[in-house]
C-alpha cells in the first residue's frame, strides 16, 4: 500500500514538473524518463566524504580540475544564469569571496546552463561581477557526480578534499568560514 501511494505521489509530482517545465520552457533534461530514474537511484553526498573530482572547461575552453585546488578550502557552487535564487545568492558569495580569498579560500562556480545558452551564462558572470573561476557543466557530468537535483547547490570542501558542509547560504556560509579559516 505504501509503495502504491509513493508511486502515485511520484508520478503526480513528475506530471506537475512536466507541465511547469513545458510552460516555462526550462528543465528539459528532467523530463526524460531515464534522467528521473537515475536521479532517484543516485546516493546523495554526505559530509565527511571525499569530494568527487571533476574536470570541466571555463568560458574560454580551458580545462580545470577540482584536484588543482587541493590545499585550499573550496566552495563548489552549482548555479545557472536562468535561476533567480542562484542570481539572488551571488551578491552574498561575492562578499564572502572578497572577505576570505586571501585566507586559503576560493569558489568554483559550475553552471547548469546548456551549451546553446553559453552567452547568457557569460553575461550573468559579468553582470553579477563574479571574480572566481567559472566552469561549464554542459555535459552534466559534475552535476551527476555531486547528485545535484536543484539549484543553487553548493559544497564546502576542506584542504584535504573532504566535504565539510553542504548548501551554506548567506550568513551561515560566512560563519562556517570564520570558524574553519
Amino acid at each position: 500500500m505504501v509503495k502504491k501511494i509513493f508511486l502515485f505521489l511520484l508520478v503526480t509530482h513528475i506530471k506537475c514538473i512536466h507541465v511547469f517545465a513545458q510552460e516555462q520552457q526550462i528543465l528539459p533534461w528532467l523530463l526524460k524518463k531515464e534522467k528521473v530514474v537515475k536521479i532517484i537511484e543516485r546516493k546523495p553526498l554526505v559530509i565527511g566524504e571525499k569530494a568527487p573530482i571533476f574536470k570541466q572547461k571555463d568560458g574560454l575552453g580551458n580545462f580545470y580540475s577540482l584536484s588543482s585546488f587541493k590545499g585550499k578550502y573550496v566552495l563548489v557552487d552549482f548555479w545557472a544564469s536562468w535561476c533567480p535564487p542562484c542570481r539572488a545568492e551571488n551578491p552574498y558569495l561575492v562578499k564572502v569571496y572578497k572577505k576570505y580569498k586571501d585566507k586559503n579560500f576560493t569558489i568554483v562556480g559550475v553552471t547548469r546552463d546548456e551549451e546553446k545558452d553559453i552567452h547568457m551564462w557569460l553575461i550573468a558572470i559579468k553582470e553579477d561581477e563574479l571574480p572566481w573561476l567559472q566552469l561549464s557543466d554542459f555535459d552534466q557530468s559534475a552535476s551527476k557526480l555531486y547528485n545535484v537535483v536543484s539549484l543553487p547547490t553548493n559544497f564546502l570542501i576542506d584542504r584535504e578534499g573532504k566535504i565539510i558542509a553542504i548548501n551554506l547560504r548567506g550568513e551561515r556560509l560566512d560563519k562556517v568560514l570564520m570558524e574553519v579559516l
Side-chain angles (χ1 to χ4, degrees):
M1 181 68 166
V2 173
K3 285 183 180 180
K4 286 182 181 180
I5 293 171
F6 174 76
L7 287 173
F8 172 77
L9 292 173
L10 179 63
V11 169
T12 304
H13 183 72
I14 291 170
K15 285 181 180 178
C16 290
I17 291 172
H18 180 77
V19 170
F20 174 77
Q22 281 183 327
E23 289 174 2
Q24 302 298 318
Q25 296 182 350
I26 58 172
L27 302 178
W29 60 271
L30 188 57
L31 301 179
K32 298 177 182 171
K33 284 183 183 177
E34 66 275 9
K35 299 285 186 188
V36 175
V37 171
K38 287 179 184 175
I39 288 170
I40 292 170
E41 291 175 350
R42 271 188 255 137
K43 179 180 88 99
L45 297 178
V46 295
I47 293 171
E49 280 186 337
K50 276 282 198 189
I53 301 298
F54 60 86
K55 187 176 181 180
Q56 297 290 31
K57 291 180 183 179
D58 66 5
L60 299 173
N62 301 312
F63 277 99
Y64 289 88
S65 173
L66 187 61
S67 62
S68 63
F69 296 97
K70 192 170 184 175
K72 284 189 162 212
Y73 284 87
V74 179
L75 184 73
V76 178
D77 179 48
F78 290 89
W79 71 289
S81 66
W82 48 260
C83 169
C86 302
R87 302 291 298 274
E89 185 67 20
N90 281 341
Y92 298 106
L93 293 178
V94 169
K95 181 179 172 186
V96 166
Y97 177 79
K98 288 179 180 177
K99 184 174 179 180
Y100 296 106
K101 68 179 179 152
D102 296 326
K103 297 182 180 180
N104 210 25
F105 169 76
T106 194
I107 300 174
V108 175
V110 183
T111 187
R112 289 294 305 270
D113 285 282
E114 294 182 17
E115 192 166 9
K116 67 181 176 71
D117 298 323
I118 189 170
H119 63 284
M120 297 304 295
W121 170 51
L122 296 173
I123 289 169
I125 293 168
K126 186 174 182 175
E127 285 178 352
D128 294 357
E129 300 178 14
L130 308 179
W132 53 85
L133 179 64
Q134 296 290 332
L135 301 175
S136 62
D137 191 25
F138 299 142
D139 64 359
Q140 297 182 17
S141 60
S143 298
K144 289 175 185 174
L145 281 173
Y146 280 76
N147 196 26
V148 175
V149 293
S150 65
L151 296 176
T153 296
N154 66 44
F155 298 85
L156 183 60
I157 301 168
D158 71 8
R159 293 183 300 232
E160 287 78 42
K162 288 187 180 176
I163 298 169
I164 59 171
I166 299 172
N167 287 330
L168 295 173
R169 306 264 177 264
E171 291 184 25
R172 276 187 54 227
L173 174 58
D174 188 42
K175 183 179 176 190
V176 169
L177 288 173
M178 200 178 308
E179 291 173 7
V180 299
L181 295 176

